[in-house]
Amino acid sequence: EGQLVQSGAEVGKPGESLKISCKGSGYSFSGYWIVWVRQTPGKGLDWMGIIYPGDSDTTYSPSFQGQVTISADMSINTAYLQWTSLKASDTATYYCARLVSISAGYFDSWGQGTLVTVSS
Amino acid sequence: DIQMTQSPSSLSASVGDRVTITCQASQDISNYLNWYQQKPGRAPNLLIYDASKLETGVPSRFSGGGSGTHFTLTISGLQPEDIATYYCQHYDDLFFTFGPGTKVDIK
């Protein structure tokens, strides 16, 4: 069974850059798509984008295109989500999750979440 | 874009009750519908995939049904540990949509 472990909580100021990570273990990390999902305080789940670590093929939700960058380094089994200029509205918990397969569109393993707080 | 709606948005039920949550798609999505449970402060957890298939390790009191545009998640005998928010999710060619969630409480 695969496991995903995310980096710890972050606090940043508006305009700052930030990069959070998601490290996979217990499975072939390069062979499974990884998704990033945002959950704003007290709200639901928003799909942000997805990456295939094997070749870094990436698709973004139209809502997040241009707002964040998703990347991966398969040599260290890690996916990343980054911002170049944080906004207060980026305050949320961010989850990574593993897509079972390209034909089976469900997520069978989730990271524990990374809380990002943006405040001046 | 396909929109997903859920009803009710919240419910309270007694231990042992049968609880049904509905998820509606704005167009036919066949059986490409999954259900997740999210307990407070925790990551979501897969319950049901492909509309009706129970994920390994999930208690058998959870079941899913439906196809096309109308789907249900049923808890047959609500337990205290089922207090959570439940989300449906659709997938189409590397695009994903979550429903708004249904919060379940114990009366």
Side-chain angles (χ1 to χ4, degrees):
Chain A
E1 278 294 323
Q3 186 179 13
L4 298 171
V5 177
Q6 298 183 229
S7 50
E10 301 274 3
V11 179
K13 291 181 166 53
E16 290 184 340
S17 62
L18 179 67
K19 193 173 190 177
I20 63 175
S21 66
C22 168
K23 185 175 177 63
S25 62
Y27 74 100
S28 176
F29 183 78
S30 62
Y32 289 81
W33 292 83
I34 293 289
V35 70
W36 285 97
V37 174
R38 182 184 74 175
Q39 186 166 42
T40 45
K43 300 288 187 182
L45 305 168
D46 301 314
W47 165 65
M48 302 176 72
I50 192 165
I51 188 166
Y52 188 74
D55 61 6
S56 291
D57 185 13
T58 307
T59 297
Y60 291 93
S61 161
S63 300
F64 292 93
Q65 178 84 47
Q67 307 304 306
V68 295
T69 300
I70 294 171
S71 60
D73 184 344
M74 67 176 179
S75 69
I76 55 171
N77 293 351
T78 301
Y80 302 96
L81 177 66
Q82 69 179 84
W83 296 260
T84 56
S85 182
L86 286 167
K87 308 184 199 55
S89 56
D90 293 320
T91 295
T93 297
Y94 294 87
Y95 294 99
C96 62
R98 184 181 79 166
L99 183 69
V100 168
S101 74
I102 198 164
S103 59
Y106 56 92
F107 311 113
D108 67 339
S109 182
W110 292 70
Q112 81 278 19
T114 297
L115 175 62
V116 172
T117 303
V118 183
S119 174
S120 55
Chain B
D1 290 1
I2 295 174
Q3 307 299 318
M4 310 298 294
T5 57
Q6 287 183 235
S7 60
S9 57
S10 65
L11 66 90
S12 285
S14 300
V15 172
D17 281 355
R18 180 183 177 93
V19 169
T20 297
I21 298 166
T22 296
C23 178
Q24 191 98 11
S26 59
Q27 57 186 273
D28 190 336
I29 60 171
S30 184
N31 68 332
Y32 298 125
L33 193 284
N34 311 305
W35 290 97
Y36 299 85
Q37 174 193 65
Q38 187 179 31
K39 296 184 178 181
R42 304 293 297 275
N45 182 54
L46 178 68
L47 295 177
I48 301 284
Y49 62 95
D50 294 346
S52 62
K53 297 176 183 173
L54 192 68
E55 171 69 347
T56 302
V58 173
S60 59
R61 63 180 179 274
F62 292 93
S63 63
S67 66
T69 62
H70 188 264
F71 302 86
T72 58
L73 174 70
T74 299
I75 309 173
S76 301
L78 187 68
Q79 298 300 305
E81 60 266 32
D82 300 334
I83 292 174
T85 300
Y86 294 84
Y87 295 93
C88 60
Q89 174 248 319
H90 167 61
Y91 162 72
D92 180 20
D93 193 23
L94 286 182
F95 278 74
F96 304 86
T97 307
F98 289 93
T102 295
K103 188 174 181 181
V104 175
D105 277 327
I106 300 289
K107 198 182 290 183

